[in-house]
């Protein structure tokens, strides 16, 4: 529960801060895209205003007869009103110049041709003006108000650059204001629709994780029909299932503990009864001799069942310790443990290649093989009639990146009930009184090694395929 207050209190962290930053960034990016044409338009308008002054000066020149000259006071006033050093008027192949009384010789000149009205040229000119250093002179070229007339103005670029910087500053301030207001409005809307529900889901998951057996912490879904509503309903269903499963498992664990205690006492009682039955079997009474074997067999099965349940209950999830091991000797040991090898009633064949090596936990894989061989032996011993051809065979082959070990018997095969509950503890046994734990434990071991245990389809008998991945020797 310590993570819950921290997540809920930091409202403007995580998704919230990312959302706000994304909204502001997108708005500023849009403003930048809009800013460049706007700045170019501002510069073009500014230059056109200065060009109009040049046009006025050109009209003055047209109004003055050629034999007369404009007084310097008038020309200086015209040029100062335009902020220009000189104005050149060209028409019909003739040029007229108006310049200050004290001419200015520019060091660096940049040309702004207003006859080029395409947007890329205007944007490039605006950026060139902003990035240019001080002291540059601007040559403005444009058409006059008469046909085939041309006006040129020579003026310092500093006033234009200063006005463009002021305009840019205003654009930045307006953009930041729009971004802030828009981001706040969108955040409040998105927060109500998405952020708050996500925070609610996060808080619920953190709380439920700390106490999954508390039914009051199960999420109560809203009536939303969108993806978040689906998420709420699925989370509530998952928490309900988890709550029920945990409660059921706790009950099963308590019941299992009680059964284990009862089973332990029952096993001790059965062991005492077995000792007594062994003594009874030595009596010469014909009726006793007839019933004693059945009694002994029944007690052996009951003791075996009790012992297998105790062993399964004590089973721990031990991580396999992988190491290279020869498979053939491992099969021999497992066959001896399962009484499949050396059994006078069964012909056992170990057809595993001598050099075949697997990388596995020898003890665990040996136990899985022993369980499979034990099941095969019991299937052969349990079929009716005297069958001298009882046979168990173990084969192994390597296929690409896998090693397949097959345990084969020519017994009666698995009944349909056992096939339907294969690998299910206490359900998948093929014989009366069996527990089905052998196959369940064998599959757990094989899956822990990254392999699989499967029942193969064969015409007669039974074949289990134990598949293990091929690993390098360094594992």
């Amino acid at each position: 529960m310590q993570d819950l207050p921290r997540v809920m209190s930091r409202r403007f962290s995580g998704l919230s801060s990312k959302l706000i930053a994304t909204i502001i960034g997108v708005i500023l990016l849009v403003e930048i895209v809009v800013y460049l044409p706007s700045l170019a338009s501002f510069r073009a308008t500014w230059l056109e205003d200065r060009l109009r002054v040049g046009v006025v000066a050109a009209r003055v020149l047209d109004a003055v007869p050629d034999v007369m000259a404009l007084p310097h006071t008038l020309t200086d006033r015209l040029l100062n009103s335009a902020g220009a050093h000189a104005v050149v008027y060209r028409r019909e192949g003739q040029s007229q110049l108006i310049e200050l009384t004290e001419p200015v010789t520019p060091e660096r000149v940049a040309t702004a041709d207003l006859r080029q009205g395409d947007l890329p040229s205007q944007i490039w000119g605006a950026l060139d003006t902003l990035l240019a250093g001080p002291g540059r002179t601007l040559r403005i070229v444009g058409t006059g108000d008469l046909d085939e007339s041309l006006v040129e103005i020579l003026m310092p670029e500093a006033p234009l650059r200063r006005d463009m910087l002021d305009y840019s500053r205003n654009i930045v301030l307006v953009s930041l204001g729009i971004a802030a207001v828009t981001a706040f409005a969108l955040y409040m809307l998105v927060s109500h629709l998405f952020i708050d529900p996500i925070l609610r889901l996060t808080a619920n998951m953190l709380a439920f994780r700390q106490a999954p057996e508390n039914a009051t912490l199960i999420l109560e879904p809203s009536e939303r029909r969108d993806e978040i509503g689906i998420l709420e309903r699925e989370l509530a269903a998952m928490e309900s299932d988890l709550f029920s499963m945990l409660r059921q498992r706790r009950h099963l664990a308590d019941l299992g503990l009680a059964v284990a205690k009862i089973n332990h006492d029952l096993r001790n009682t059965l062991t005492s009864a077995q000792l007594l039955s062994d003594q009874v079997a030595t009596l010469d009474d014909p009726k006793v001799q007839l019933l004693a074997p059945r009694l002994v067999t029944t007690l052996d099965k009951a003791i075996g069942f009790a012992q297998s349940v105790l062993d399964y209950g004590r089973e721990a999830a031990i991580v396999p310790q992988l190491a290279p091991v020869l498979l053939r000797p491992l099969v021999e040991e497992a066959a001896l443990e399962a009484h499949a090898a050396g059994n006078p009633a069964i012909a056992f064949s170990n057809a595993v290649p001598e050099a075949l090596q697997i990388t596995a936990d020898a003890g665990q894989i040996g136990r899985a093989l022993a369980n499979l061989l034990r099941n095969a032996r019991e299937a052969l011993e349990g079929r009716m009639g005297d069958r001298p051809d009882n046979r168990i065979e173990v084969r192994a082959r390597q296929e690409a990146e896998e090693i397949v070990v097959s345990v084969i018997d020519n017994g009666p095969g698995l009944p349909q009930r056992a096939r339907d509950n294969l690998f299910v503890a206490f359900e998948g046994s093929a014989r009366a009184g069996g527990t089905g734990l052998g196959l369940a434990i064998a599959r757990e071991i094989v899956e822990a090694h990254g392999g699989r245990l499967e029942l193969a389809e064969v015409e007669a008998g039974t074949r289990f395929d134990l598949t293990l991945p091929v690993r390098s020797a360094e594992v």
Side-chain angles (χ1 to χ4, degrees):
M1 296 295 289
Q2 295 178 353
D3 295 336
L4 179 59
R6 184 166 65 250
V7 171
M8 297 301 294
S9 61
R10 296 171 56 189
R11 183 173 183 81
F12 292 97
S13 63
L15 286 177
S16 301
S17 60
K18 293 178 182 178
L19 177 62
I20 295 175
T22 301
I23 294 175
I24 293 177
V26 170
I27 294 176
L28 292 180
L29 182 61
V30 173
E31 291 291 343
I32 291 174
V33 174
V34 175
Y35 162 73
L36 292 177
S38 176
L39 182 65
S41 176
F42 174 83
R43 177 176 176 271
T45 302
W46 194 94
L47 294 176
E48 288 174 356
D49 291 340
R50 297 303 183 273
L51 188 64
R52 290 192 189 98
V53 178
V55 173
V56 171
R59 287 181 179 178
V60 173
L61 290 176
D62 279 342
V64 176
D66 295 338
V67 296
M68 295 180 59
L70 288 174
H72 288 293
T73 56
L74 179 59
T75 58
D76 288 350
R77 188 179 303 171
L78 285 173
L79 294 174
N80 289 330
S81 64
H85 297 320
V87 175
V88 178
Y89 178 64
R90 293 187 176 91
R91 183 185 177 194
E92 297 179 353
Q94 297 181 354
S95 299
Q96 291 178 294
L97 172 64
I98 303 176
E99 61 179 348
L100 294 174
T101 304
E102 299 179 358
V104 177
T105 303
E107 297 180 358
R108 295 183 300 153
V109 179
T111 300
D113 194 345
L114 297 182
R115 294 172 297 177
Q116 297 178 351
D118 58 294
L119 184 60
S121 299
Q122 292 181 357
I123 293 177
W124 177 253
L127 293 176
D128 181 62
T129 301
L130 279 182
L131 299 177
R136 198 167 70 167
T137 300
L138 188 64
R139 175 175 169 261
I140 307 173
V141 181
T143 57
D145 57 345
L146 299 177
D147 295 337
E148 299 181 358
S149 62
L150 186 68
V151 179
E152 296 183 15
I153 299 178
L154 200 66
M155 61 177 296
E157 193 179 32
L160 172 60
R161 186 170 183 271
R162 182 176 60 252
D163 290 347
M164 290 177 64
L165 290 174
D166 292 339
Y167 177 80
S168 301
R169 187 180 304 108
N170 294 333
I171 289 292
V172 170
L173 293 177
V174 172
S175 300
L176 290 176
I178 293 175
V181 173
T182 306
F184 177 77
L186 288 177
Y187 171 77
M188 295 304 295
L189 177 62
V190 175
S191 177
H192 174 71
L193 293 177
F194 302 107
I195 301 297
D196 289 344
I198 290 176
L199 287 176
R200 175 171 173 257
L201 291 173
T202 304
N204 175 264
M205 286 188 289
L206 290 173
F208 188 81
R209 176 179 176 270
Q210 300 297 327
E213 296 183 358
N214 186 352
T216 61
L217 296 178
I218 296 177
L219 180 70
E220 183 177 351
S222 63
E223 299 298 328
R224 297 179 61 154
R225 299 299 177 185
D226 55 8
E227 288 80 0
I228 291 183
I230 296 174
L231 178 60
E232 290 177 343
R233 289 187 289 274
E234 292 299 322
L235 179 60
M238 183 184 68
E239 289 177 347
S240 299
D241 294 342
L242 184 60
F243 169 78
S244 301
M245 182 181 66
L246 289 176
R247 173 167 290 187
Q248 182 182 20
R249 288 198 172 185
R250 186 177 69 247
H251 292 172
L252 290 175
D254 295 340
L255 180 61
L257 180 61
V259 170
K261 293 180 179 179
I262 296 172
N263 205 32
H264 184 270
D265 295 338
L266 178 61
R267 179 177 175 275
N268 293 335
T269 303
L270 291 173
T271 302
S272 301
Q274 186 183 36
L275 295 175
L276 180 60
S277 66
D278 292 339
Q279 295 177 1
V280 171
T282 60
L283 299 178
D284 295 332
D285 191 330
K287 293 183 178 180
V288 172
Q289 292 297 325
L290 178 63
L291 297 176
R294 297 174 60 184
L295 176 61
V296 172
T297 301
T298 303
L299 289 175
D300 287 341
K301 290 182 179 181
I303 293 173
F305 180 84
Q307 184 62 45
S308 62
V309 172
L310 289 175
D311 292 341
Y312 184 75
R314 289 193 295 263
E315 185 73 21
I318 302 175
V319 178
Q321 303 299 316
L322 304 182
V325 58
L326 290 174
L327 182 58
R328 185 180 177 89
L330 196 63
V331 171
E332 291 287 351
E333 295 178 4
L336 291 174
E337 180 182 347
H339 303 292
N343 192 321
I346 298 174
F348 175 74
S349 173
N350 185 356
V352 177
E354 294 184 359
L356 185 59
Q357 181 175 271
I358 61 173
T359 302
D361 188 313
Q364 293 190 20
I365 293 297
R367 183 180 179 189
L369 290 171
N371 287 343
L372 294 177
L373 291 169
R374 185 179 297 108
N375 286 349
R377 174 183 59 80
E378 291 175 351
L380 293 174
E381 293 176 345
R383 63 179 175 178
M384 301 299 293
D386 185 12
R387 298 291 298 272
D389 60 338
N390 290 338
R391 185 177 67 257
I392 297 177
E393 182 179 6
V394 179
R395 302 174 185 171
R397 65 187 185 279
Q398 183 168 346
E399 298 178 351
E401 298 300 321
E402 295 179 334
I403 294 177
V404 182
V405 183
S406 299
V407 178
I408 309 167
D409 68 72
N410 62 342
L414 292 179
Q416 189 60 43
R417 177 183 177 278
R419 290 175 177 268
D420 295 340
N421 298 280
L422 202 62
F423 307 119
V424 179
F426 304 105
E427 295 290 341
S429 177
R431 60 186 178 85
T435 62
L437 295 176
L439 288 177
I441 295 174
R443 188 180 68 166
E444 289 180 356
I445 291 174
V446 174
E447 289 180 348
H449 282 72
R452 59 186 184 275
L453 180 62
E454 299 170 320
L455 174 65
E457 293 295 335
V458 292
E459 295 181 0
T462 306
R463 190 186 89 195
F464 280 96
D465 290 337
L466 189 156
T467 304
L468 295 174
V470 174
R471 295 183 174 90
S472 60
E474 288 81 5
V475 178

